Amino acid sequence: STGSKEVWVGTQSGVIHVISATNRRYMCELVDPNVQHGGEIHQMVFDQYVFVATQGCRVVQWDPLTKEVNKSFVHEIPVFAAVTCQGLLFSGLADGTVKTWEIATGTCIATATHVENNAVTCAAVDTDRHHLWVGRASGEVSIFRTAPEFSEIGSVRDAKGRLTSLVYAGGKVLGAGLDRTMYVWHAETCNILGRHHDHNALIFFI
């Protein structure tokens, strides 16, 4: 949801449906006017603007008030994950690449490739330590330092299968995957704190 009390719903066709969270009424649909086929929406991030990661090889920055596209961060291949922090946009790509963008200028300032071609599936920012946690199709989580310069500092391999969601909260990183398990890591030490197997269906979001 946004500050205007709306729910934005992304679809496989690339269309965004906007619904009022106050009265639950349908408000409008949004389509990126800059592309003919936007492709499946993989993730939406709400940080003053709405950032939409798409199969159409871009992250689109929407203005939630005017419902217009403010900027597009164009990539060479599909974007599966996007998170923002302190004026930066981090995007994760289908080939495992992670890019850092200046939101104000739309400039890509750093690129980290992955030798195993292990697709990025989700990401979360540890705002206390300026670390970026990047989940991958194999279940591996790559950990990057975002400041003062962007660099990979380690990884954890506790998940058994594709990770679908990562969230940072209260000094811990929570993850979930297609193995129907939730994982909890200590954000500072990166040690696994627990695994929860109490789900009888696939977990797509935390």
Side-chain angles (χ1 to χ4, degrees):
S1 61
T2 67
S4 53
K5 297 181 179 179
E6 298 168 353
V7 176
W8 288 43
V9 181
T11 65
Q12 290 182 326
S13 67
V15 175
I16 300 171
H17 300 290
V18 183
I19 302 166
S20 170
T22 303
N23 56 28
R24 302 181 183 178
R25 291 183 177 178
Y26 186 84
M27 298 177 62
C28 63
E29 73 172 32
L30 303 176
V31 178
D32 185 352
N34 300 315
V35 294
Q36 186 173 1
H37 301 289
E40 180 177 354
I41 292 174
H42 293 295
Q43 188 171 12
M44 290 194 289
V45 180
F46 301 90
D47 183 6
Q48 184 179 355
Y49 292 93
V50 184
F51 296 84
V52 180
T54 75
Q55 183 73 18
C57 308
R58 62 185 60 213
V59 178
V60 183
Q61 181 185 24
W62 289 87
D63 188 315
L65 299 180
T66 65
K67 304 295 188 293
E68 296 179 347
V69 172
N70 185 63
K71 191 177 297 165
S72 291
F73 302 84
V74 180
H75 301 67
E76 298 81 15
I77 59 175
V79 186
F80 284 176
V83 289
T84 60
C85 181
Q86 298 181 335
L88 297 176
L89 166 70
F90 304 100
S91 57
L93 310 186
D95 68 348
T97 299
V98 180
K99 289 180 176 288
T100 305
W101 304 76
E102 282 187 343
I103 294 176
T105 64
T107 303
C108 181
I109 59 174
T111 300
T113 58
H114 198 270
V115 294
E116 298 178 7
N117 196 32
N118 195 356
V120 174
T121 55
C122 53
V125 176
D126 172 355
T127 53
D128 294 320
R129 275 156 286 275
H130 302 290
H131 288 172
L132 174 69
W133 289 57
V134 174
R136 299 187 180 278
S138 67
E140 177 187 357
V141 180
S142 301
I143 304 168
F144 296 85
R145 180 186 293 112
T146 63
E149 62 181 24
F150 190 75
S151 61
E152 186 169 0
I153 58 174
S155 65
V156 294
R157 299 175 181 265
D158 300 295
K160 297 179 180 179
R162 184 185 184 95
L163 284 166
T164 56
S165 186
L166 285 172
V167 176
Y168 173 73
K172 298 179 179 66
V173 177
L174 311 179
L178 296 185
D179 60 355
R180 306 181 182 184
T181 302
M182 279 190 59
Y183 299 88
V184 182
W185 292 278
H186 190 281
E188 184 173 3
T189 65
C190 303
N191 293 330
I192 187 75
L193 298 177
R195 298 175 177 86
H196 303 277
H197 309 282
D198 301 328
H199 299 79
N200 56 12
L202 303 180
I203 310 170
F204 287 100
F205 188 74
I206 301 176

